[in-house]
Amino acid sequence: MKNVTTPLDDPVDAPGEPYVEPAQAGIVRGILRRKSTIVAGGFLALLVLGAVLAPLIAPYDPNVQNVLQRLRPPSADHLLGTDDYGRDVLSRLIYSARVSLQASAQAVAVALLIGLPPGVAAGYRGGWLDTVLTRIMDTLMSAPSLVLAITIVAVLGPGITNAMLAIGVIMAPRFFRVARATTMDVRHETYIEASIALGCGNLRTAVRHILPNVMPPIVLVISVSLGAAVAAEASLSFLGLGVRAPASSWGSMLSTASSNMGLAPYLVWPPGVMIFLTVLAFTYLGDGVRKGMTRSRSASGKGE
């Protein structure tokens, strides 16, 4: 039995047939069995909460400068010290979480918009459309990602929005390939043929009957891509192509820290550790989703 969402299935099991847990419920149960996934999800939830409540929990205004307090080490007044303009590092770290998380969400949204619909269309229609779209995505994947991102930002101009657009374009082939492969796997299922026989158009069939089966693996790609987007945004901001002053992100904080490494080596640790932990948390979350999906498929196979 394939692990697919079948709209024509009767939700009530026939008498004498074993109960098969729905795919979505199996995935959730598989995720909740892994402590590492729960810890990663909890960390990300706290991170998002801290970003939302930044004005309430930040001890200082992140943009207020005090040159008399510049490059001060951690103390009771400034728990993580101050930067080269005398700004509180802890406050900037909290506010930077807003920028980094929002930027990664923008990049993944762009990638999802560019990659998912063409992937479903290519897998469902096949033929010349599949060939053309696949070649375009293969071309994007063949280019060095950071070089391509820098090129796009150079054309559009520096700024966090343009940087995230560039990263989203680079990530789009991942979503395309997963959506295409999953669509090709389910397009010849009986319920798809029945939907077409009942008069459903291609668009309705794709949206109502194929897309629900595409989304579980896409959720996995989203989780992993969010972590990659955080690292990519930090790289572009470190190079001065991302967030613009006076706003800051973890990447721009690293850039400031690198300029003052000899005088204040402590500045590199807060943003560096946050980038590392955030990317690691998204990776563990994605791994938990993947293993939850694997467990769900295995359970469906046993119930066959």
Side-chain angles (χ1 to χ4, degrees):
M1 179 184 296
K2 289 185 176 295
N3 183 23
V4 294
T5 302
T6 308
L8 302 181
D9 285 345
D10 187 353
V12 180
D13 292 335
E17 291 187 0
Y19 170 75
V20 179
E21 185 180 51
Q24 291 81 358
I27 293 174
V28 172
R29 288 172 61 87
I31 292 173
L32 294 180
R33 285 194 180 102
R34 296 180 56 81
K35 293 181 179 179
S36 59
T37 306
I38 296 175
V39 172
F43 172 79
L44 292 173
L46 290 176
L47 189 63
V48 172
L49 183 63
V52 172
L53 300 179
L56 300 178
I57 63 178
Y60 298 94
D61 187 321
N63 298 322
V64 170
Q65 302 178 13
N66 185 355
V67 293
L68 298 179
Q69 296 290 327
R70 65 186 303 268
L71 299 179
R72 292 296 177 90
S75 64
D77 293 330
H78 301 280
L79 296 180
L80 296 180
T82 60
D83 64 6
D84 52 349
Y85 288 101
R87 297 171 296 193
D88 183 65
V89 173
L90 177 59
S91 300
R92 292 182 68 78
L93 189 74
I94 295 173
Y95 273 87
S96 293
R98 275 184 163 186
V99 177
S100 296
L101 292 177
Q102 182 179 354
S104 63
Q106 289 175 348
V108 172
V110 170
L112 192 64
L113 183 63
I114 295 176
L116 179 59
V120 174
Y124 181 68
R125 297 291 296 178
W128 66 268
L129 180 63
D130 181 24
T131 302
V132 170
L133 292 176
T134 301
R135 294 297 175 267
I136 293 174
M137 294 298 173
D138 288 345
T139 301
L140 286 176
M141 292 190 68
S142 64
S145 57
L146 186 58
V147 174
L148 182 58
I150 293 175
T151 302
I152 295 175
V153 173
V155 172
L156 299 177
I160 192 65
T161 300
N162 293 339
M164 292 305 100
L165 177 61
I167 295 173
V169 171
I170 293 170
M171 290 182 171
R174 304 181 188 178
F175 292 86
F176 173 85
R177 291 168 69 92
V178 172
R180 174 179 176 270
T182 308
T183 301
M184 292 179 68
D185 187 48
V186 302
R187 68 177 178 178
H188 296 303
E189 292 293 328
T190 304
Y191 67 91
I192 298 295
E193 297 176 356
S195 174
I196 297 174
L198 290 173
C200 291
N202 291 330
L203 180 61
R204 181 180 176 85
T205 300
V207 172
R208 292 289 301 276
H209 306 321
I210 292 180
L211 196 58
N213 296 293
V214 174
M215 288 314 297
I218 287 294
V219 170
L220 168 60
V221 181
I222 288 175
S223 177
V224 176
S225 297
L226 283 170
V230 169
E233 184 278 328
S235 300
L236 292 178
S237 293
F238 182 86
L239 297 174
L241 300 175
V243 65
R244 310 300 293 174
S248 67
S249 71
W250 293 331
S252 65
M253 291 182 68
L254 275 179
S255 180
T256 300
S258 66
S259 302
N260 299 278
M261 185 67 72
L263 297 175
Y266 59 86
L267 289 177
V268 74
W269 288 102
V273 169
M274 289 305 300
I275 293 172
F276 171 76
L277 291 179
T278 302
V279 174
L280 186 66
F282 277 123
T283 301
Y284 270 106
L285 187 63
D287 184 64
V289 172
R290 179 184 63 83
K291 293 190 175 181
M293 292 171 57
T294 302
R295 184 182 295 272
S296 177
R297 291 194 186 99
S298 300
S300 297
K302 292 178 181 179
E304 191 173 355

